[in-house]
Amino acid sequence: MEIQWLKVLQVLDHVFLVNLQVLDVRCGIGGALREIARFRCLNAICHSSSTDITGLNNNAYQISRGKMQYRLFAFQELNFSAGLSEQCNFIKGDFMNMPFPDNTFDAANAIEATIYAPDVEIYRVLKPGQYFALDGLRLTDKFDPNNAKHRDLKAKIELGCALPDVRTTRQCIQAMKEAGFEVLDLAEDSPCPWYWDIDAHLFSWSSFSYSGVAKFLMRAIAGTLEFLRIAPKGSSKLVSMLHSASNDLIISCREQIFTVTFFVLGRKPLKESDV
């Protein structure tokens, strides 16, 4: 994730506007928009600029989690506690039908978002000449649809990660071009494999929760809570499915048929005739 943030922030660092309006598509609980706001606030002194980051999410529960968290026996507003309440805000809405006028934003990013939607309205709401940074999980050119092992890994990952049909990096690039973007930069991998922190074969405190012992304990706890009817039916099966998906994803990335760090930088042309 550090590589993803670095790329997005480097893009925004080149957008020297006095009042920068940034859109974070499918923002989750707002981790990305706060990181972007912190970065822009540090540079505001040099750039004499201000930045407003809007997080778009269709999940009301995630927005509520993004706004509030429990600390020291009280709920705190995350953006406020980070000193970013004036820069960051959440909007509930569908990113296939965005509640914004045309040409609203100076920059946009979508991290692990566009894979969930066949048609995203980023091009429409982005101002001409401005940038869109996309990052997410894709199949690489080494994926062989005639290889049974490859097909099986793909199916398990899609099931465990609740994904639709995962597309290839080439299809992603083509979709960007068909939407009207100029593709300026690409990156399919990173110097440090993303899965090092969760690979049980490379022991660390962060990877312990993915070890065989931790997985056994988590399944046992989920099964017990399910038996006592504290957790809903199917919780134990869900935990096992998620563990299997993470393991299959690591195997797929080792074999270089999947990448979760496929980065594309696009630019909306100044004129439609430039497409």
Side-chain angles (χ1 to χ4, degrees):
M1 289 300 293
E2 287 78 4
I3 300 297
Q4 294 171 326
W5 293 131
L6 179 61
K7 292 171 184 174
V8 172
L9 295 177
Q10 284 175 338
V11 171
L12 294 177
D13 194 33
H14 287 83
V15 183
F16 299 111
L17 298 176
V18 174
N19 297 305
L20 181 66
Q21 302 291 325
V22 180
L23 175 64
D24 180 14
V25 179
R26 189 179 169 270
C27 63
I29 65 171
L33 61 93
R34 282 186 289 275
E35 288 298 320
I36 292 171
R38 289 189 184 98
F39 179 83
R40 291 294 300 185
C41 284
L42 289 174
N43 286 357
I45 297 175
C46 300
H47 296 169
S48 299
S49 63
S50 62
T51 303
D52 293 322
I53 300 96
T54 298
L56 180 66
N57 194 336
N58 204 30
N59 188 311
Y61 173 73
Q62 286 187 344
I63 291 177
S64 67
R65 285 289 307 276
K67 288 183 175 180
M68 307 293 289
Q69 73 173 3
Y70 195 72
R71 282 184 176 178
L72 299 177
F73 308 104
F75 285 99
Q76 294 183 347
E77 209 280 333
L78 287 177
N79 294 341
F80 179 82
S81 62
L84 300 169
S85 56
E86 294 184 3
Q87 291 82 23
C88 301
N89 67 92
F90 293 93
I91 296 291
K92 185 178 185 298
D94 182 359
F95 55 53
M96 293 192 294
N97 186 22
M98 294 188 184
F100 309 114
D102 295 354
N103 308 323
T104 298
F105 295 97
D106 303 296
N109 72 276
I111 297 179
E112 298 179 1
T114 57
I115 193 172
Y116 292 96
D119 185 17
V120 183
E121 283 198 319
I122 294 171
Y123 185 90
R124 179 182 66 80
V125 301
L126 195 63
K127 292 179 181 178
Q130 300 306 329
Y131 299 91
F132 167 46
L134 176 153
D135 199 297
L137 189 154
R138 297 291 185 273
L139 292 166
T140 72
D141 288 340
K142 294 187 177 182
F143 175 80
D144 181 3
N146 297 316
N147 184 311
K149 181 181 179 181
H150 288 190
R151 292 198 308 270
D152 184 58
L153 286 169
K154 176 178 180 291
K156 289 180 178 178
I157 291 169
E158 290 171 345
L159 176 63
C161 298
L163 295 173
D165 183 25
V166 179
R167 303 305 177 89
T168 66
T169 54
R170 291 187 181 186
Q171 289 173 316
C172 178
I173 296 168
Q174 184 60 32
M176 286 279 286
K177 292 179 178 178
E178 290 177 356
F181 287 103
E182 304 172 70
V183 176
L184 303 180
D185 192 18
L186 300 169
E188 189 170 308
D189 216 335
S190 61
C192 178
W194 68 271
Y195 52 81
W196 277 11
D197 284 342
I198 65 171
D199 190 342
H201 294 91
L202 303 171
F203 181 78
S204 66
W205 288 115
S206 60
S207 66
F208 175 74
S209 60
Y210 293 87
S211 67
V213 174
K215 289 179 179 179
F216 173 80
L217 291 174
M218 291 177 69
R219 285 195 298 269
I221 293 172
T224 300
L225 293 176
E226 184 179 342
F227 176 77
L228 296 174
R229 297 187 178 181
I230 297 174
K233 186 178 181 180
S235 296
S236 179
K237 183 178 180 180
L238 176 61
V239 169
S240 297
M241 184 176 68
L242 292 174
H243 284 157
S244 177
S246 67
N247 185 61
D248 291 330
L249 195 53
I250 291 173
I251 293 172
S252 299
C253 289
R254 279 179 177 166
E255 297 190 6
Q256 299 182 336
I257 62 174
F258 266 87
T259 176
V260 301
T261 55
F262 182 61
F263 176 84
V264 185
L265 173 61
R267 177 178 177 270
K268 182 175 179 177
L270 285 170
K271 298 179 180 179
E272 294 293 332
S273 58
D274 295 335
V275 179

Short mmCIF file of all heavy atoms in Angstrom, two decimals, residues 149 153 156-157 194-195 199 201 244-258:
data_model
loop_
_atom_site.label_atom_id
_atom_site.label_comp_id
_atom_site.label_asym_id
_atom_site.label_seq_id
_atom_site.Cartn_x
_atom_site.Cartn_y
_atom_site.Cartn_z
N LYS A 149 -5.10 -24.85 -13.45
CA LYS A 149 -4.65 -24.31 -12.17
C LYS A 149 -4.90 -22.81 -12.12
O LYS A 149 -5.36 -22.27 -11.11
CB LYS A 149 -3.17 -24.60 -11.95
CG LYS A 149 -2.64 -24.07 -10.62
CD LYS A 149 -1.15 -24.37 -10.45
CE LYS A 149 -0.64 -23.82 -9.13
NZ LYS A 149 0.82 -24.06 -8.96
N LEU A 153 -7.40 -20.88 -9.44
CA LEU A 153 -6.94 -19.81 -8.56
C LEU A 153 -7.77 -18.54 -8.77
O LEU A 153 -8.18 -17.89 -7.81
CB LEU A 153 -5.46 -19.51 -8.81
CG LEU A 153 -4.46 -20.54 -8.29
CD1 LEU A 153 -3.06 -20.27 -8.84
CD2 LEU A 153 -4.43 -20.53 -6.76
N LYS A 156 -11.25 -18.97 -7.15
CA LYS A 156 -11.21 -18.93 -5.69
C LYS A 156 -10.99 -17.50 -5.18
O LYS A 156 -11.58 -17.08 -4.17
CB LYS A 156 -10.11 -19.85 -5.17
CG LYS A 156 -10.41 -21.33 -5.32
CD LYS A 156 -9.28 -22.18 -4.78
CE LYS A 156 -9.59 -23.66 -4.88
NZ LYS A 156 -8.45 -24.49 -4.39
N ILE A 157 -10.13 -16.76 -5.87
CA ILE A 157 -9.88 -15.37 -5.47
C ILE A 157 -11.12 -14.52 -5.65
O ILE A 157 -11.48 -13.70 -4.80
CB ILE A 157 -8.69 -14.79 -6.27
CG1 ILE A 157 -7.39 -15.48 -5.84
CG2 ILE A 157 -8.58 -13.28 -6.07
CD1 ILE A 157 -6.22 -15.19 -6.74
N TRP A 194 4.05 -6.99 -2.42
CA TRP A 194 3.01 -6.53 -1.51
C TRP A 194 2.69 -7.55 -0.43
O TRP A 194 2.26 -7.20 0.68
CB TRP A 194 1.73 -6.22 -2.29
CG TRP A 194 1.09 -7.45 -2.88
CD1 TRP A 194 1.36 -8.00 -4.09
CD2 TRP A 194 0.15 -8.32 -2.26
NE1 TRP A 194 0.63 -9.14 -4.29
CE2 TRP A 194 -0.12 -9.36 -3.17
CE3 TRP A 194 -0.50 -8.32 -1.03
CZ2 TRP A 194 -1.00 -10.39 -2.88
CZ3 TRP A 194 -1.39 -9.34 -0.74
CH2 TRP A 194 -1.64 -10.35 -1.65
N TYR A 195 2.89 -8.85 -0.73
CA TYR A 195 2.42 -9.90 0.18
C TYR A 195 3.42 -10.25 1.27
O TYR A 195 3.14 -11.13 2.10
CB TYR A 195 2.07 -11.17 -0.62
CG TYR A 195 3.17 -11.66 -1.54
CD1 TYR A 195 4.23 -12.41 -1.06
CD2 TYR A 195 3.15 -11.36 -2.89
CE1 TYR A 195 5.24 -12.86 -1.90
CE2 TYR A 195 4.14 -11.80 -3.75
CZ TYR A 195 5.19 -12.55 -3.24
OH TYR A 195 6.19 -12.98 -4.08
N ASP A 199 2.61 -12.97 4.30
CA ASP A 199 3.05 -14.30 3.92
C ASP A 199 3.51 -15.05 5.17
O ASP A 199 4.48 -14.68 5.82
CB ASP A 199 4.21 -14.19 2.92
CG ASP A 199 4.55 -15.55 2.29
OD1 ASP A 199 4.14 -16.59 2.86
OD2 ASP A 199 5.20 -15.56 1.24
N HIS A 201 5.01 -17.74 5.45
CA HIS A 201 6.33 -18.35 5.30
C HIS A 201 7.45 -17.36 5.63
O HIS A 201 8.59 -17.76 5.84
CB HIS A 201 6.52 -18.86 3.87
CG HIS A 201 5.59 -19.99 3.52
ND1 HIS A 201 4.35 -19.76 2.96
CD2 HIS A 201 5.70 -21.33 3.67
CE1 HIS A 201 3.74 -20.93 2.77
NE2 HIS A 201 4.54 -21.89 3.19
N SER A 244 -8.48 -18.87 2.70
CA SER A 244 -8.14 -19.57 1.46
C SER A 244 -7.87 -18.57 0.33
O SER A 244 -6.92 -18.73 -0.44
CB SER A 244 -9.28 -20.50 1.07
OG SER A 244 -9.02 -21.13 -0.17
N ALA A 245 -8.70 -17.53 0.25
CA ALA A 245 -8.53 -16.53 -0.81
C ALA A 245 -7.21 -15.80 -0.68
O ALA A 245 -6.52 -15.55 -1.67
CB ALA A 245 -9.69 -15.55 -0.78
N SER A 246 -6.82 -15.44 0.56
CA SER A 246 -5.55 -14.72 0.76
C SER A 246 -4.38 -15.61 0.38
O SER A 246 -3.41 -15.14 -0.24
CB SER A 246 -5.43 -14.26 2.21
OG SER A 246 -5.32 -15.36 3.10
N ASN A 247 -4.47 -16.89 0.72
CA ASN A 247 -3.39 -17.81 0.37
C ASN A 247 -3.30 -18.01 -1.15
O ASN A 247 -2.20 -18.00 -1.73
CB ASN A 247 -3.63 -19.16 1.05
CG ASN A 247 -2.49 -20.13 0.82
OD1 ASN A 247 -1.35 -19.87 1.20
ND2 ASN A 247 -2.78 -21.27 0.20
N ASP A 248 -4.45 -18.15 -1.81
CA ASP A 248 -4.46 -18.31 -3.26
C ASP A 248 -3.95 -17.05 -3.96
O ASP A 248 -3.29 -17.13 -5.00
CB ASP A 248 -5.88 -18.62 -3.75
CG ASP A 248 -6.35 -20.00 -3.31
OD1 ASP A 248 -5.49 -20.88 -3.17
OD2 ASP A 248 -7.56 -20.17 -3.11
N LEU A 249 -4.24 -15.89 -3.38
CA LEU A 249 -3.77 -14.64 -3.97
C LEU A 249 -2.26 -14.53 -3.88
O LEU A 249 -1.60 -14.09 -4.84
CB LEU A 249 -4.43 -13.45 -3.26
CG LEU A 249 -4.34 -12.09 -3.95
CD1 LEU A 249 -4.85 -12.17 -5.38
CD2 LEU A 249 -5.13 -11.06 -3.17
N ILE A 250 -1.70 -14.95 -2.76
CA ILE A 250 -0.24 -14.95 -2.61
C ILE A 250 0.40 -15.89 -3.62
O ILE A 250 1.39 -15.55 -4.28
CB ILE A 250 0.15 -15.35 -1.17
CG1 ILE A 250 -0.24 -14.25 -0.18
CG2 ILE A 250 1.66 -15.61 -1.08
CD1 ILE A 250 -0.05 -14.64 1.27
N ILE A 251 -0.16 -17.09 -3.76
CA ILE A 251 0.37 -18.07 -4.73
C ILE A 251 0.30 -17.50 -6.14
O ILE A 251 1.26 -17.59 -6.92
CB ILE A 251 -0.43 -19.39 -4.65
CG1 ILE A 251 -0.19 -20.06 -3.30
CG2 ILE A 251 -0.03 -20.32 -5.78
CD1 ILE A 251 -1.09 -21.28 -3.06
N SER A 252 -0.83 -16.88 -6.48
CA SER A 252 -1.02 -16.32 -7.82
C SER A 252 -0.03 -15.21 -8.12
O SER A 252 0.49 -15.10 -9.24
CB SER A 252 -2.45 -15.79 -7.97
OG SER A 252 -3.38 -16.83 -7.81
N CYS A 253 0.24 -14.38 -7.13
CA CYS A 253 1.18 -13.28 -7.33
C CYS A 253 2.62 -13.79 -7.40
O CYS A 253 3.44 -13.24 -8.14
CB CYS A 253 1.03 -12.25 -6.22
SG CYS A 253 -0.51 -11.30 -6.33
N ARG A 254 2.92 -14.83 -6.65
CA ARG A 254 4.25 -15.44 -6.76
C ARG A 254 4.48 -15.99 -8.16
O ARG A 254 5.57 -15.89 -8.71
CB ARG A 254 4.39 -16.57 -5.74
CG ARG A 254 4.73 -16.12 -4.32
CD ARG A 254 4.81 -17.33 -3.44
NE ARG A 254 5.20 -17.00 -2.09
CZ ARG A 254 5.08 -17.84 -1.07
NH1 ARG A 254 4.55 -19.05 -1.28
NH2 ARG A 254 5.48 -17.49 0.13
N GLU A 255 3.43 -16.59 -8.73
CA GLU A 255 3.54 -17.15 -10.07
C GLU A 255 3.33 -16.09 -11.16
O GLU A 255 3.34 -16.40 -12.34
CB GLU A 255 2.52 -18.28 -10.24
CG GLU A 255 2.79 -19.45 -9.29
CD GLU A 255 1.95 -20.67 -9.61
OE1 GLU A 255 1.23 -20.64 -10.64
OE2 GLU A 255 2.01 -21.65 -8.85
N GLN A 256 3.10 -14.85 -10.71
CA GLN A 256 3.02 -13.69 -11.60
C GLN A 256 1.84 -13.74 -12.58
O GLN A 256 1.90 -13.17 -13.66
CB GLN A 256 4.34 -13.51 -12.37
CG GLN A 256 5.53 -13.28 -11.46
CD GLN A 256 6.82 -13.07 -12.23
OE1 GLN A 256 6.94 -13.51 -13.37
NE2 GLN A 256 7.78 -12.41 -11.62
N ILE A 257 0.76 -14.40 -12.17
CA ILE A 257 -0.44 -14.39 -13.00
C ILE A 257 -1.44 -13.35 -12.49
O ILE A 257 -2.40 -13.02 -13.19
CB ILE A 257 -1.11 -15.78 -13.08
CG1 ILE A 257 -1.57 -16.26 -11.71
CG2 ILE A 257 -0.17 -16.79 -13.70
CD1 ILE A 257 -2.37 -17.55 -11.76
N PHE A 258 -1.21 -12.85 -11.28
CA PHE A 258 -2.01 -11.78 -10.72
C PHE A 258 -1.10 -10.67 -10.23
O PHE A 258 0.06 -10.91 -9.88
CB PHE A 258 -2.81 -12.27 -9.50
CG PHE A 258 -4.21 -12.73 -9.82
CD1 PHE A 258 -4.43 -14.03 -10.21
CD2 PHE A 258 -5.29 -11.88 -9.68
CE1 PHE A 258 -5.72 -14.48 -10.49
CE2 PHE A 258 -6.58 -12.32 -9.96
CZ PHE A 258 -6.79 -13.62 -10.36
#
